[in-house]
Amino acid sequence: MAFAPPRLRYASDGRGRLRAGRRFRRLAFAMSLPLLALGVAAILFLGYATYGRFLARSFGLDPSAKTPAETMRDGVDYEPTSKFYLLGQHFSAIAAAGPIAGPIIACQQWGWLPCIFWLLFGAILIGGVHDFAVLVASLRHKATSIAELVRENVGKTAWIGMMIFTWVSLIYVVIAFADITARTFIGRSEDLPGGAGTLNKGGAVAAASAIYLGLAFLMGVLQRKARTPLWLLTLVFVPATLVAVWAGTRIDTLLNFSGKTWDLVILGYCFVASLLPVWLLLQPRGYLGGFVLYIAIAVGLVGIFGGGFSIQQDAYKGFDFVARSKEGLPTGTFPLFPFLFVTIACGACSGFHSLVSSGTTSKQIAKEPDARLVGYGGMLLETFVALIALSTILIVAKGTGGPGQVYGEGMGKYLCVLIGEDHLAFAKTFGMMVFSTFVFDTIDVATRLGRYILQELMRWQGTAARVVATLATVLPPALILGFSPTEPAPYLRFWNLFGASNQLLAALALLIVAVWLIRSGKRAWHVMVPMFFLLAVALVALFFQAKTALKAGAEDCVVLGTSIALVALSAIIVFESFRAIARSRAKPPAGASPPPAPAAS
């Protein structure tokens, strides 16, 4: 098998990791959690103020230029929006479950110090550049998608390759996050401290999440059919989401199913949700999810700065992580390079963001300079979400279990700082439901985007085409999860494949932006350097996974086949992109406006 659950044991000789653990253990206790959070926040702010300003000048953002939101305004997709309001919308769209799961898994494997370095370095110099550059490129191409950028600047062959590559990547987004959610819904009844009764955390989260989705559905109906004012819906349904958490603790044994059953139920939800009108579920769920996100950030900040928690995890656990089976047998060795950089994708850099930046956000930018706050600033805000997620494992000495469970336990501790230990059942359920809420945002949108891609590629139209394209997007995850062994958890077997495809998508998006800049006669080193880094990281990670899967034989043929397919598709896109650069002239491509010259100081 290509991957196994993280069992934090030392390598066979024990010496390297043991020495590293002792060497860095002092650092773990010397560094306080509030000081670490303040340091990260200060560096992120400095990055926004300096490198963000440099990017804005490099792309020549012009406050007087007309954006597509103005020139193509239709009141539906194209609509000028206040930059602070749009920042919240963009932030909630990109900051789903990725920046939570990745840092927790990586900390379990290599320690928290490498995670901090990659989150800061990645967000400021790579991830923020990616989100911002794609957003600006889309603005200059009439707010078209990243796929259309490929078609206009590279050619049809690369466009087809990019569409297929993106669809395959979305498949693994659905696989990874559907199974992570399923694991948070599994539990057993445990005694609460002080004789306060018992709680089945998994069952409580499942029930609370089901009620939450029902609330979002009802909110969509009331807003569309009854024309209920948004302010009134907000006053009613935001507190109702907290009531849903409490209700889940009251019926915590009602929805007790196996992991595979939950996998299929969640994929069934994806199928239905991606076919429903966006006003009925996607928009109200995203709206409520935004408030859940902000509440979670506030709770995290209270816990970090007011909870008095100390760092319990080792700063560094060694370069090589040895994955082991349930029986403790080694199943593979995963070095920090390249696997740290694909384990933590969202939070540092995520190719998925290119779909958001060029899909919906670029159609709402009112003024070009707003792209700096929304695109670059939004990525740095997501990094702070990743820090809060990382902090939930730092405050526990053991730190084992899936990311949903770890995050739920940590957020529960933070919330108890506000509401007291007497409400521990509510606090733990809240923490885990926050995680599942973010996941539902991710897998719903990923499934819908997969349908869009298939319909565009095949030129399918009509209701039947929508159903077939959605089924074709959901069926591969259902087959893979249905036939995967129970141990290890399927999401752990495929997480690195998801991360590698995500980082490779980001590299390809940066490459397309570079092609446009070079064809326009502009400098492109600030996108080419991070592009080459991500390309190297993703390809080396895919090579490692293909090699491991080849040794495992038929059991991991899906990993092997997908790794080969992703490398082949990316090779086509890279080859066609460099061909486009080679034959480029200073004249910009038709339909696109080049970046204006940087403004004078």
Side-chain angles (χ1 to χ4, degrees), residues 316-390:
Y316 182 58
K317 297 178 180 179
F319 188 82
D320 290 325
F321 165 69
V322 180
R324 297 182 181 273
S325 66
K326 189 177 181 180
E327 294 76 23
L329 300 175
T331 59
T333 300
F334 296 86
L336 185 146
F337 182 88
F339 287 102
L340 170 69
F341 305 96
V342 297
T343 300
I344 301 179
C346 308
C349 180
S350 171
F352 181 76
H353 295 183
S354 67
L355 306 180
V356 178
S357 292
S358 65
T360 56
T361 304
S362 61
K363 296 176 176 61
Q364 301 175 71
I365 292 286
K367 299 294 180 183
E368 280 194 355
D370 296 353
R372 178 188 170 205
L373 176 67
V374 176
Y376 194 76
M379 179 66 243
L380 301 191
L381 280 176
E382 187 188 53
T383 303
F384 200 77
V385 171
L387 171 69
I388 292 175
L390 183 62

Side-chain angles (χ1 to χ4, degrees), residues 553-568:
E555 183 181 355
D556 275 334
C557 61
V558 173
V559 174
L560 178 61
T562 303
S563 298
I564 294 173
L566 291 175
V567 171

Side-chain angles (χ1 to χ4, degrees), residues 1-87:
M1 59 186 65
F3 204 87
R7 298 173 63 85
L8 304 180
R9 302 181 179 221
Y10 294 126
S12 55
D13 63 357
R15 296 176 185 172
R17 291 175 65 98
L18 198 55
R19 282 198 301 268
R22 287 171 178 168
R23 189 178 303 123
F24 285 92
R25 194 178 300 276
R26 268 183 226 163
L27 178 60
F29 289 104
M31 177 71 73
S32 72
L33 193 57
L35 181 62
L36 180 64
L38 284 174
V40 168
I43 294 173
L44 291 175
F45 179 79
L46 185 63
Y48 177 79
T50 56
Y51 202 62
R53 186 182 300 275
F54 160 77
L55 290 172
R57 289 174 53 81
S58 178
F59 277 84
L61 300 185
D62 184 1
S64 64
K66 296 291 185 181
T67 64
E70 293 181 286
T71 59
M72 304 172 66
R73 186 172 188 171
D74 60 7
V76 179
D77 296 318
Y78 295 83
E79 182 67 24
T81 306
S82 162
K83 61 182 179 181
F84 292 106
Y85 186 86
L86 184 57
L87 172 64

Side-chain angles (χ1 to χ4, degrees), residues 368-452:
E368 280 194 355
D370 296 353
R372 178 188 170 205
L373 176 67
V374 176
Y376 194 76
M379 179 66 243
L380 301 191
L381 280 176
E382 187 188 53
T383 303
F384 200 77
V385 171
L387 171 69
I388 292 175
L390 183 62
S391 74
T392 62
I393 190 173
L394 295 186
I395 63 174
V396 292
K398 197 173 180 182
T400 57
Q405 288 86 349
V406 171
Y407 184 78
E409 289 286 331
M411 290 300 290
K413 289 178 180 290
Y414 288 161
L415 186 56
C416 283
V417 174
L418 284 172
I419 64 177
E421 295 286 343
D422 293 341
H423 302 285
L424 184 61
F426 174 88
K428 288 186 175 182
T429 304
F430 168 80
M432 293 177 68
M433 198 202 81
V434 167
F435 181 80
S436 65
T437 297
F438 297 162
V439 172
F440 279 123
D441 282 344
T442 302
I443 57 178
D444 182 347
V445 172
T447 306
R448 190 178 292 268
L449 289 173
R451 169 167 69 82
Y452 291 164

